[in-house]
């Protein structure tokens, strides 16, 4: 059994459901612990009766230490603050031998067991950003990406997890300060700070907008295990922005088309389940971007705004 945990609120609800269903399609033995960060997402997730998931409300999760710092953090910063606490809560509450944290906007195209099994007897697994040089943000965002991080319930794994939790409670903000950034820069020295740390080697794990330029996705022999849909924005009801990065047609067809089509099917299902459900979207993003910036991105092949109909298969 492979145990996973994630956290999200209503804004990322459709992506979180897509994450669950991608596990359902690729991983025969799994359980996903979903930490619902608002009442609306908790209610809808409970109504879905997800067979291989446990829905955890904020009331069941938050402790005094988190509640004390919550007013000092933005919504996003508080989610980052909670990441190690969510993993710790899942392991300790449900007595798990190990647990892998997943960002809600990743999606599996093949079995993640191949990644976790790389650990063998190691206690911690972390994944590199593997930036394409053009997009290298190592200095600010860190060597490693929190997106897919595994801890075993052993002395080394739990010591590292508790250290990370304490660090994030003390400081976790959306800014660079004294070598820190959010929950992520803390991972930079883990291979030296902690024993039994494994850095993921499989290049199919951690494919993302900032590194996909390095891979030939037209080669069907290259197995994408998961893709991180960072920067993907839904604009109003009919448009989607794939972000500022360069993509080939193969990336568009093999990665974005199936994912956005899946998101739209989930939107329709949730709306039928609850007529008050509002699709997640980045309203007025275009207005904030500005005409000149859009023009500059377009000239560099970075501007990727499309009608959703481009991604939907009509039977």
């Amino acid at each position: 059994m492979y145990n996973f945990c994630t956290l999200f609120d209503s804004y990322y609800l459709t992506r979180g459901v897509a994450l669950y269903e991608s596990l359902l399609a690729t991983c025969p033995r799994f359980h996903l612990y979903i930490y619902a960060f608002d009442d609306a997402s908790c209610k809808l997730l409970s109504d879905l009766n997800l067979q291989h998931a446990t829905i955890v409300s904020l009331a069941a999760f938050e402790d005094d230490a988190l509640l004390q710092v919550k007013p000092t953090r933005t919504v996003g910063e508080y989610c980052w603050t909670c990441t190690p606490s969510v993993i710790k809560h899942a392991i300790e509450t449900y007595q798990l031998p190990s647990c892998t944290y997943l960002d809600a906007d990743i999606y599996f195209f093949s079995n993640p067991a191949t990644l976790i099994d790389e650990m063998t007897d190691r206690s911690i697994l972390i994944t590199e950003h593997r930036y394409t040089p053009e997009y290298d943000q190592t200095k600010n965002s860190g060597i490693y990406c929190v997106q897919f991080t595994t801890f075993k319930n052993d002395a080394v794994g739990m010591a590292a997890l508790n250290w990370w939790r304490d660090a994030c409670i003390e400081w976790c903000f959306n800014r660079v300060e004294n070598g820190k950034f959010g929950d992520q820069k803390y991972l930079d020295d883990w291979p030296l700070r902690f024993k039994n740390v494994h850095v993921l080697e499989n290049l199919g794990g951690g494919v993302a907008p900032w590194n996909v330029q390095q891979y030939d996705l037209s080669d069907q022999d290259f197995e994408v295990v998961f893709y991180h849909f960072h920067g993907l924005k839904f604009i109003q009801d009919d448009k989607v922005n794939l972000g500022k990065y360069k993509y080939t047609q193969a990336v568009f067809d093999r990665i974005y088309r199936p994912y956005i089509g899946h998101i739209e099917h989930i939107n329709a299902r949730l709306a039928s389940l609850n007529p008050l459900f509002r699709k997640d979207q980045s309203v007025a993003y275009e207005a904030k971007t500005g005409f000149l910036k859009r023009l500059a991105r377009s000239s560099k092949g970075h501007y990727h705004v499309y009608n959703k109909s481009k991604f939907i298969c009509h039977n």
Side-chain angles (χ1 to χ4, degrees):
M1 174 71 73
Y2 293 89
N3 296 297
F4 302 94
C5 65
T6 189
L7 65 90
F8 54 85
D9 60 14
S10 296
Y11 180 76
Y12 263 47
L13 179 61
T14 55
R15 302 175 215 222
V17 174
L19 167 62
Y20 169 82
E21 293 184 349
S22 73
L23 282 169
L24 197 63
T26 60
C27 190
R29 298 181 298 112
F30 82 94
H31 197 86
L32 178 63
Y33 296 87
I34 301 175
Y35 287 74
F37 267 47
D38 58 23
D39 292 340
S41 61
C42 191
K43 173 66 166 62
L44 266 170
L45 287 165
S46 299
D47 289 345
L48 288 173
N49 295 315
L50 305 176
Q51 183 180 357
H52 300 282
T54 296
I55 314 304
V56 184
S57 68
L58 273 181
F61 157 68
E62 289 177 310
D63 59 18
D64 290 342
L66 291 171
L67 289 170
Q68 186 173 351
V69 301
K70 188 174 184 178
T72 70
R73 313 280 158 95
T74 66
V75 172
E77 289 169 346
Y78 186 61
C79 287
W80 290 350
T81 300
C82 288
T83 301
S85 295
V86 160
I87 308 167
K88 175 180 169 70
H89 184 274
I91 288 175
E92 294 181 346
T93 303
Y94 302 102
Q95 300 182 342
L96 307 179
S98 66
C99 190
T100 300
Y101 169 79
L102 309 173
D103 275 349
D105 56 351
I106 73 172
Y107 187 88
F108 291 98
F109 291 88
S110 61
N111 195 340
T114 60
L115 308 181
I116 298 171
D117 290 349
E118 267 193 25
M119 293 178 70
T120 61
D121 60 348
R122 300 294 181 92
S123 299
I124 304 162
L125 181 147
I126 53 180
T127 59
E128 293 178 283
H129 277 106
R130 298 197 302 270
Y131 287 111
T132 297
E134 179 179 353
Y135 304 120
D136 191 356
Q137 293 292 314
T138 302
K139 182 178 179 180
N140 291 336
S141 296
I143 300 168
Y144 306 102
C145 186
V146 171
Q147 61 186 354
F148 187 97
T149 309
T150 304
F151 291 85
K152 287 184 181 175
N153 186 3
D154 60 22
V156 174
M158 295 309 293
L161 186 54
N162 284 318
W163 178 91
W164 189 26
R165 167 183 151 88
D166 291 343
C168 286
I169 288 173
E170 180 179 344
W171 192 99
C172 189
F173 298 95
N174 187 17
R175 62 176 183 264
V176 178
E177 182 178 305
N178 297 326
K180 296 176 288 190
F181 174 74
D183 59 347
Q184 197 154 265
K185 283 282 284 180
Y186 289 119
L187 278 60
D188 276 5
D189 68 353
W190 279 17
L192 298 176
R193 180 182 292 271
F194 301 112
K195 298 178 181 178
N196 292 341
V197 175
H198 177 71
V199 179
L200 185 71
E201 297 175 357
N202 189 326
L203 296 180
V207 185
W210 55 76
N211 62 35
V212 71
Q213 302 77 22
Q214 301 169 47
Y215 311 118
D216 180 9
L217 265 65
S218 64
D219 179 3
Q220 293 300 317
D221 290 333
F222 177 73
E223 184 177 60
V224 178
V225 181
F226 75 83
Y227 189 88
H228 190 158
F229 285 89
H230 169 81
L232 177 65
K233 293 179 172 66
F234 296 93
I235 306 166
Q236 300 170 351
D237 286 329
D238 62 344
K239 291 184 176 63
V240 62
N241 187 340
L242 307 192
K244 65 182 180 180
Y245 302 91
K246 293 179 181 177
Y247 306 113
T248 63
Q249 186 65 39
V251 173
F252 183 93
D253 291 336
R254 189 172 170 185
I255 301 295
Y256 283 92
R257 189 185 299 277
Y259 182 71
I260 293 169
H262 192 175
I263 291 287
E264 282 302 285
H265 284 299
I266 293 169
N267 269 323
R269 282 159 43 204
L270 292 180
S272 67
L273 187 65
N274 182 351
L276 298 179
F277 170 72
R278 180 174 178 271
K279 298 178 182 179
D280 59 345
Q281 52 189 291
S282 300
V283 178
Y285 172 80
E286 290 298 278
K288 293 179 182 179
T289 303
F291 173 75
L292 292 178
K293 187 176 288 187
R294 297 199 303 270
L295 186 63
R297 285 185 180 176
S298 181
S299 68
K300 296 178 182 179
H302 290 185
Y303 186 62
H304 300 287
V305 175
Y306 304 94
N307 287 323
K308 286 183 182 177
S309 59
K310 192 175 184 70
F311 300 91
I312 310 302
C313 295
H314 299 283
N315 297 325

